Amino acid sequence: MTPRHQHRLGRRKLLFALGGATVAAPAVAALAPHALAGTTDGADAPAAAAALPLTIVNDSGSFGNASVHVYIVGNQDGRQVRVTPDGALAPIALSDNGADGYTDYAIGLTGSGETRLSLPYMSGRIYVALGQKLKLKVVTDGNGDPALQYPAGWVASDPNHAVLHDCAEFTYNSAGMFCNTTMVDMFSVPLSIRLTGAKDQTTGTLRPSGRADAFAAVRRIEEFAPLVVDDTRVIAPGHGLDAGLFPKDYFAPSIDEVWSAYTGNDLTVTTNAGAFTGRVRGERLTFEGPAPVSFAKPSTRDVLFCDGNLAAPNDGTTGPVAAVLGAGFNRSTLLSAPAQPTTDAASFYRTALTNHYAKAMHAATEDGKAYGFAFDDVADFASYIQDTAPTGIRLTLTPF
């Protein structure tokens, strides 16, 4: 599969639409949540004509089917929608809020065994909540349209902070199914996706004791330990930084070293557009190649969120180079490999100063793939799969 950092970068532009930069309140989804790159717009196709079988399997071993609640929410054709238990696509509405101020969009599982649902064309998330239902509220956005406040488990004041929950992301349209498990914001519930169609693919499966091992690995690193919230979740370090739980200057020594190293030496970044050769000139890392590209020195927050001075516009040049740089900083490979991107996973996270959260997420999975940060798809290391002729998707809650 072609690395998705060499595709269109729609997902990167939408990464924070669900509150990636907020810690004060539940996030309003104004755009498709974590929408996936490399897809085409399927809004012209009627949802009912293209329903994809979706199977939910509860192999958690810790919660019975009656304690598992599923939510399928997202966007279609510029409007925010949800999937009802019978597979219909319904627009969200302010009137959906109940007496307690929240909606009840939960889809219950069957009494035992597998639960079979239907997925229409849309882009969004499949949430699972264990033990309690999620508190999702419909509000009015800046345009006066109804908008759904998504859960932000990394925010202590969020009404869903105490709820054990997680999600998978997808875009399903006439071009096919594009989906992934994600730890970009946090990690809580082990999930795997099996996608059948032209191929039979699975991603996201954790190793035996993978969840416990990931929690323990993050706890062992002093700067990262505060990111572990009891046995509920591990918060991604970018959100931890915004909440005052993670050092704001954590990556500063590494960033300074990279800027110093490439003041007198070349850094080469290769994308589908070609090879870009750069050096630091006037405090900016400036590349020559298919197009002029340059970056101001990023902050730790920029590295963790792959945003700010490492933001990736959908321009085919700056965006892909930014993605490779973001991956190199998080994986700590920029100093050891002046030709990027690196593709040898054994060379990732080798230094003491690295993204130990992402390292733990990858170590926990059977295939070594995870979405531990926004540019983790660089060189195809994300827990992402796609199929242009899908016949079914299976989301499994794997053992804790």
Side-chain angles (χ1 to χ4, degrees), residues 231-251:
D231 191 41
T232 304
R233 65 181 58 88
V234 185
I235 300 170
H239 291 308
L241 185 153
D242 283 348
L245 302 174
F246 189 80
K248 292 184 177 181
D249 60 352
Y250 176 78
F251 273 113

Side-chain angles (χ1 to χ4, degrees), residues 89-326:
L89 197 66
I92 66 168
L94 289 171
S95 58
D96 293 341
N97 294 325
D100 62 352
Y102 299 102
T103 66
D104 187 357
Y105 291 162
I107 300 172
L109 301 191
T110 58
S112 61
E114 302 176 352
T115 300
R116 291 177 173 82
L117 305 170
S118 184
L119 193 64
Y121 280 163
M122 63 181 292
S123 179
R125 287 179 170 177
I126 304 172
Y127 280 95
V128 295
L130 310 182
Q132 304 177 58
K133 290 185 177 181
L134 290 173
K135 294 181 177 180
L136 308 180
K137 178 181 290 188
V138 179
V139 297
T140 302
D141 67 14
N143 297 318
D145 298 322
L148 190 62
Q149 286 185 331
Y150 282 74
W154 53 93
V155 179
S157 60
D158 187 272
N160 300 290
H161 187 69
V163 181
L164 189 64
H165 69 278
D166 221 312
C167 71
E169 304 169 325
F170 70 95
T171 290
Y172 174 50
N173 56 34
S174 59
M177 170 58 83
F178 310 82
C179 52
N180 61 270
T181 61
T182 178
M183 292 101 161
V184 169
D185 292 319
M186 67 179 200
F187 168 60
S188 182
V189 180
L191 299 172
S192 71
I193 299 173
R194 181 182 178 187
L195 180 61
T196 55
K199 295 180 288 184
D200 188 338
Q201 308 170 78
T202 300
T203 193
T205 307
L206 264 59
R207 302 177 187 274
S209 76
R211 183 181 190 270
D213 291 346
F215 275 57
V218 175
R219 279 196 181 99
R220 282 195 293 270
I221 308 301
E222 180 181 357
E223 296 90 342
F224 287 75
L227 302 176
V228 182
V229 182
D230 302 320
D231 191 41
T232 304
R233 65 181 58 88
V234 185
I235 300 170
H239 291 308
L241 185 153
D242 283 348
L245 302 174
F246 189 80
K248 292 184 177 181
D249 60 352
Y250 176 78
F251 273 113
S254 175
I255 295 166
D256 289 343
E257 282 187 296
V258 169
W259 245 241
S260 176
Y262 294 111
T263 296
N265 299 284
D266 289 342
L267 174 64
T268 302
V269 173
T270 301
T271 74
N272 274 3
F276 295 77
T277 301
R279 287 196 180 195
V280 175
R281 298 183 177 93
E283 295 301 314
R284 293 185 70 88
L285 181 54
T286 302
F287 290 88
E288 298 175 348
V293 172
S294 71
F295 302 88
K297 184 184 287 189
S299 66
T300 292
R301 191 181 190 281
D302 294 341
V303 169
L304 293 173
F305 279 117
C306 299
D307 195 32
N309 288 341
L310 289 177
N314 186 20
D315 61 0
T317 52
T318 299
V321 175
V324 173
L325 292 177

